[in-house]
Amino acid sequence: MPRVPGCAHLWCWIQPHSVTARPAWAARSSPHVLLRAAKLLRSGANRKQRVNPAGRDNENADPQKAASLLRKQWSLYSVTPLYKFSGARLKEYARLLGAFIAAEKQKGLAVEVGVDADVKVTFASLPELRGDPQDQPAMLVQLSSRSSVSPKSSDEKLIWSGCFCCVSGEDLLENVPEDFTCLPLFLANGAESYTAMVGSWFQKTFDCHFCRLSISPLNLSWMAAMWAGCSVEKNACATELVFSVPCLPQPLDISYAIHPEDAKALWDTVQKTPGEITQEEVDLFMDCLYSHFHRHFKIHLSATKLVKVSTAIASAHCNGTIKLLQSRYLTGVLMLLTELAISQIQ
C-alpha cells in the first residue's frame, strides 16, 4: 500500500465536540485531475472515469458571472425536467415570479403582474456553465430588495440567489421528450422562505419537482480524492476531512487536515493511469489517510462517518451544502453535482 509522504510533524488537540489532527510535510504537485471523472459513481461500480474533453478549466468564462457563484453557501437540490420552459421568455418569467412572491407575502391578496414591489426578480442565462454543447445553458435567478418609497435608481440589495444548471448531463438528456428542458441541479443561497416560494412557482409553472440533494460519505470520498489532485496556489488552504463518531452520548467530530501539496503527492502515488480514476483508487487514497491517522492517534477513522470535505477547490457537507471557491474549476465541480442530481432523479 502506498504511504503518506514522510511526515515532519503532526499535532492534535481535543475539544469538547471535536478532535483535530494536522500533519505537515513537503511535496510537489503536478497537473490537476479534477475533471478526470466525466461520470461519477454508478451504484458504487468500480469502473474507469475518463476526462470529459468539454469539461476543462473555466479560463474563458465570464469572471463576473462566475463570481456570483463563488464563496457562497449553496443548498443543493435535484429538479425533474421542466415542461414547456423557454429560455427566450426569461423576462416574462421574472415578472410572473415577482407577482407570485408579492402575492405570497401579502397572503393571497391580488397583485397585478409587473407592478413595483419590494422584491425585484431577475433571470439571467449563463451559457458558459455547460460541459457539452447539447447541455442547456445554466440559469441564474436573483431576488433583490428595494424600498417602495425610494427612487428606482437607488441601490438594490441581493437577498437570494438560485442557479439551475446541467453540466455534462447527457445521460438524462437522451431520454427526455422534446417539450421538456433538463436543468437537474439547483443551487440556492438565501432565506429558506424565498427558496420555498421560488420552488413552488417553478413546480406550478413547469410541472417539475424539487428534492433536497444530500451527499453520501462515498461521494464525499470521491470529492476528496479528485480535488486533492488539483493544482492550487502555494498558499492554498489545507485539505480538511471531518468525521462524525457514531453511538456517543454527545456529538464528537474528528477534523483531519492535510497540506494540499501532500494530498496531491499521495494521490499521484495512488493513481495508476493519468486521466482516469476508479473506485479502487479512491478507496486506496482514503485507506492511506486512515492508516496514517491510526499510526499517530490509534483511532480507526474507518469506523466513523465522513461528513465534510474542505479543499481549496470547494467545500462540501453531507447535508447537501457546498461552497464553490475556484472559478477555474467551477464547471468541473458542477459536473460532479449534476451527476449526483441525475442519479437521484433516476
Side-chain angles (χ1 to χ4, degrees):
M1 174 182 293
R3 295 173 61 86
V4 176
C7 181
H9 66 272
L10 184 147
W11 45 272
C12 169
W13 70 86
I14 298 178
Q15 296 177 343
H17 299 291
S18 67
V19 178
T20 302
R22 185 182 301 271
W25 47 72
R28 282 293 178 184
S29 61
S30 60
H32 73 87
V33 291
L34 174 61
L35 301 180
R36 288 173 180 168
K39 305 296 173 191
L40 174 67
L41 300 179
R42 280 304 185 202
S43 303
N46 181 23
R47 63 167 64 182
K48 292 181 178 179
Q49 310 295 319
R50 295 187 177 273
V51 177
N52 183 343
R56 49 189 176 273
D57 295 347
N58 283 34
E59 294 176 352
N60 298 321
D62 185 331
Q64 292 185 344
K65 290 184 177 180
S68 65
L69 301 181
L70 298 179
R71 303 191 180 280
K72 295 179 180 178
Q73 189 80 359
W74 296 96
S75 297
L76 303 176
Y77 296 79
S78 62
V79 186
T80 58
L82 312 179
Y83 180 64
K84 294 291 187 180
F85 172 87
S86 172
R89 300 174 60 190
L90 297 186
K91 289 186 178 180
E92 178 186 351
Y93 296 154
R95 291 195 300 270
L96 294 173
L97 177 56
F100 178 82
I101 292 174
E104 287 291 302
K105 296 182 71 173
Q106 295 185 36
K107 300 299 181 182
L109 296 179
V111 176
E112 182 181 352
V113 174
V115 301
D116 290 341
D118 60 348
V119 174
K120 177 183 177 182
V121 180
T122 58
F123 279 58
S125 178
L126 303 178
E128 63 270 22
L129 293 184
R130 288 190 287 187
D132 299 307
Q134 66 267 31
D135 288 339
Q136 289 292 328
M139 178 175 61
L140 181 66
V141 182
Q142 293 183 317
L143 308 183
S144 303
S145 65
R146 59 186 181 185
S147 173
S148 59
V149 298
S150 298
K152 290 185 178 180
S153 59
S154 62
D155 291 338
E156 298 169 347
K157 180 182 178 182
L158 182 65
I159 57 175
W160 184 92
S161 298
C163 183
F164 294 82
C165 61
C166 179
V167 182
S168 298
E170 64 271 15
D171 279 2
L172 187 59
L173 288 170
E174 62 186 12
N175 297 317
V176 174
E178 184 177 351
D179 289 336
F180 289 85
T181 298
C182 290
L183 292 167
L185 176 64
F186 176 62
L187 303 90
N189 170 262
E192 291 187 4
S193 58
Y194 284 117
T195 302
M197 283 189 280
V198 172
S200 178
W201 182 82
F202 269 87
Q203 289 179 150
K204 293 178 180 178
T205 306
F206 303 110
D207 195 22
C208 59
H209 177 70
F210 289 72
C211 184
R212 276 304 302 265
L213 181 62
S214 59
I215 306 176
S216 69
L218 178 62
N219 290 327
L220 285 174
S221 66
W222 272 75
M223 293 176 179
M226 296 171 65
W227 296 346
C230 296
S231 296
V232 295
E233 296 79 6
K234 291 184 178 180
N235 59 348
C237 63
T239 295
E240 183 180 13
L241 309 178
V242 179
F243 301 84
S244 177
V245 181
C247 304
L248 292 179
Q250 294 186 355
L252 177 64
D253 290 338
I254 299 174
S255 177
Y256 186 5
I258 309 104
H259 193 283
E261 290 185 350
D262 306 308
K264 176 69 170 67
L266 175 60
W267 175 248
D268 288 344
T269 303
V270 168
Q271 190 182 34
K272 298 177 182 178
T273 305
E276 298 180 353
I277 179 173
T278 68
Q279 182 66 56
E280 180 184 7
E281 291 168 343
V282 173
D283 291 341
L284 184 55
F285 176 81
M286 298 300 294
D287 287 343
C288 290
L289 294 177
Y290 293 164
S291 297
H292 183 79
F293 194 89
H294 181 264
R295 260 195 322 272
H296 289 272
F297 301 107
K298 307 306 178 186
I299 296 175
H300 291 282
L301 291 178
S302 58
T304 64
K305 178 184 177 182
L306 180 61
V307 296
K308 184 179 180 181
V309 172
S310 297
T311 72
I313 309 304
S315 175
H317 196 282
C318 66
N319 63 5
T321 57
I322 193 165
K323 183 177 288 187
L324 308 168
L325 303 175
Q326 293 271 354
S327 60
R328 178 183 177 187
Y329 297 110
L330 184 57
T331 299
V333 175
L334 292 177
M335 181 172 63
L336 304 182
L337 298 177
T338 297
E339 179 71 15
L340 296 183
I342 291 175
S343 296
Q344 179 163 287
I345 293 171
Q346 292 178 336

